[in-house]
Each structure stands twice: as structure tokens, then as C-alpha cells.
Amino acid sequence: MPVISFASPKGGVGKSTSALLLATGLTAAGASVTVIDGDPNRTVEGWATSAEHPGFKWLRLPSDDEIIDAIEEAAEKTQFVIVDLEGTANLAMARAISRTDLVIIPLQASPVDARQASRAIKMVMAQAKELRRDISYRMLFTRVNPAIATRDEKEIRSQFQEASIPALKVALNERAAFRAMFTHYQSLWDLHDEAVNGLGKAKANATEFVREVTQTIRDLRAAGQGQAA
């Protein structure tokens, strides 16, 4: 089953929020999910232990010697494994990425975030070189203006395209509903319209995000099967 890791060396880019949106979006669609929380802030773990119905299985990132076994065991038991990685390069991150089908690198649309995100790309590429295999990744713009793309976002996307750096078409918008998940300890799909402004638009945004990630996984697997044939 596919393993999807979220990695970023910079805090405040919405990494754990993105991982939680994907996990709860997949479970809302009927999939079984395990989330492995490796972020020092334990954001996903804190949410899952406080939520009445988290909907997914979760565990804390094991020791360096146990991480590969934990990912492979989770992949045997659930349809998706999502790993929220620590921001700095270390042995656990390297081993987790070695078992990852897709690495998602969140960033806000700013030059500073773009430069920091390049560090995550280098970590992925270094691991791919060591393992002598491709490790796919996608950039994910977060906290963007839902009304209009800023000049920085357009410029950074253009730079990514010129450098052949793949990015998801869907960006996660700046939405009160995404923050409300952590206020009420409920998934986006369990929140109520009267309690949160713009919930419908937030759900639509998150649904498109989940859809593009799953389609990307399908495309990568189809391409891999084609090469094997």
C-alpha cells in the first residue's frame, strides 16, 4: 500500500495540517489509514488522542532501527500510510523516505520558504542516489490566498517549472476551517457549518487536494509498472 511522507525543514508551513487533511480526507472517503507522527511537536498525535473519532490509526515514529519495520507493517494492515517527518535530516527521516512512494514538501508562497524547501528536495535526492532508485516528490503550496494567486506564488511556480521541480496543482488555501480542526478536535468532515465560516469551500479545497495526491500515486504506480513491463 502507498506510503506518503510529509517533509519540510521549515516550521510553520502547514506540514502537520496537510498530513492531517490527507489522513482524514482519505478516511472520510472510506480508506483505512495509519499515520506515523515523527514531528517533535506531536501535532497529529495530540489531535488523534483528543479527537473522539480520529478515524485513522496512529503511532509515534519508532526508533531508527524500528522505523522501516513499522512502516512496512502499517502498509500491510492499512490502505495508506502517512508519515509526518521531522524537519531536520537524520537517520529516521532517511529510512522513512527510503520506504516512501511520494514525498510531499509543503511551503508557503514566499522566497524564504522556497529556499528552505530546496533543502528538503536535496534530502530526497540524496536518499534516492544512495538507494539507486527514484523517489518521487511534489511541492505543495499552503496558506495561499483563495481569491487570487500572489505574484510570489506565480513567480515561484514558474521557477519550479523551469527547474523541472514538480508541484501539485492544488494549493491549500488559508482557511479558518483548517485551524478549527485543532480547536474542536474534529476532522473537516465532522465540523458543522454553524461553528465554522467557509466550511464548504474548505472541504472542496481539501477534497481536491486528496484527489490529486491519490491520482498522483496511481500515475506513479502505472508508470512504474509500465517500465517494469
Side-chain angles (χ1 to χ4, degrees):
M1 297 296 124
V3 178
I4 304 163
S5 292
F6 287 78
S8 173
K10 185 177 183 297
V13 296
K15 177 172 61 66
S16 296
T17 299
S18 304
L20 183 60
L21 283 171
L22 181 61
T24 53
L26 288 168
T27 56
S32 58
V33 178
T34 297
V35 178
I36 300 177
D37 190 349
D39 188 277
N41 294 320
R42 307 294 180 204
T43 302
V44 175
E45 176 184 334
W47 185 91
T49 55
S50 299
E52 186 175 356
H53 303 292
F56 54 80
K57 298 179 180 179
W58 67 272
L59 57 95
R60 186 176 294 184
L61 189 76
S63 67
D64 295 345
D65 294 331
E66 298 172 329
I67 179 60
I68 290 178
D69 289 341
I71 290 175
E72 292 181 346
E73 182 179 349
E76 291 176 359
K77 294 181 178 179
T78 53
Q79 292 171 287
F80 292 89
V81 179
I82 297 171
V83 188
D84 185 9
L85 290 169
E86 185 176 351
T88 56
N90 54 34
L91 184 57
M93 170 178 273
R95 289 182 172 174
I97 288 177
S98 75
R99 291 299 186 271
T100 294
D101 295 282
L102 177 65
V103 180
I104 296 178
I105 304 172
L107 74 157
Q108 294 188 67
S110 75
V112 171
D113 278 28
R115 287 192 291 270
Q116 291 295 317
S118 68
R119 293 172 52 199
I121 296 174
K122 290 177 180 177
M123 287 189 286
V124 173
M125 299 304 292
Q127 191 62 23
K129 183 177 181 180
E130 182 177 337
L131 295 170
R132 297 183 179 181
R133 76 171 182 88
D134 291 335
I135 299 177
S136 297
Y137 67 90
R138 296 292 186 275
M139 313 306 287
L140 168 67
F141 286 89
T142 62
R143 297 177 175 170
V144 303
N145 187 326
I148 186 170
T150 64
R151 181 177 299 177
D152 280 343
E153 181 184 348
K154 292 177 181 177
E155 178 63 25
I156 294 169
R157 281 190 180 273
S158 177
Q159 291 174 0
F160 284 169
Q161 188 172 6
E162 291 176 4
S164 298
I165 295 174
L168 295 174
K169 295 179 181 178
V170 173
L172 289 177
N173 298 328
E174 179 65 50
R175 292 288 182 189
F178 295 161
R179 297 189 297 273
M181 294 190 300
F182 297 97
T183 302
H184 301 286
Y185 296 105
Q186 291 181 307
S187 79
L188 200 65
W189 289 267
D190 292 327
L191 291 169
H192 300 290
D193 290 316
E194 60 272 16
V196 183
N197 292 328
L199 182 58
K201 292 182 178 179
K203 286 180 179 178
N205 185 201
T207 299
E208 286 299 311
F209 166 57
V210 174
R211 184 178 293 119
E212 184 172 2
V213 171
T214 53
Q215 185 59 54
T216 299
I217 292 289
R218 293 190 196 100
D219 292 344
L220 291 171
R221 293 201 157 189
Q225 292 170 358
Q227 291 173 358

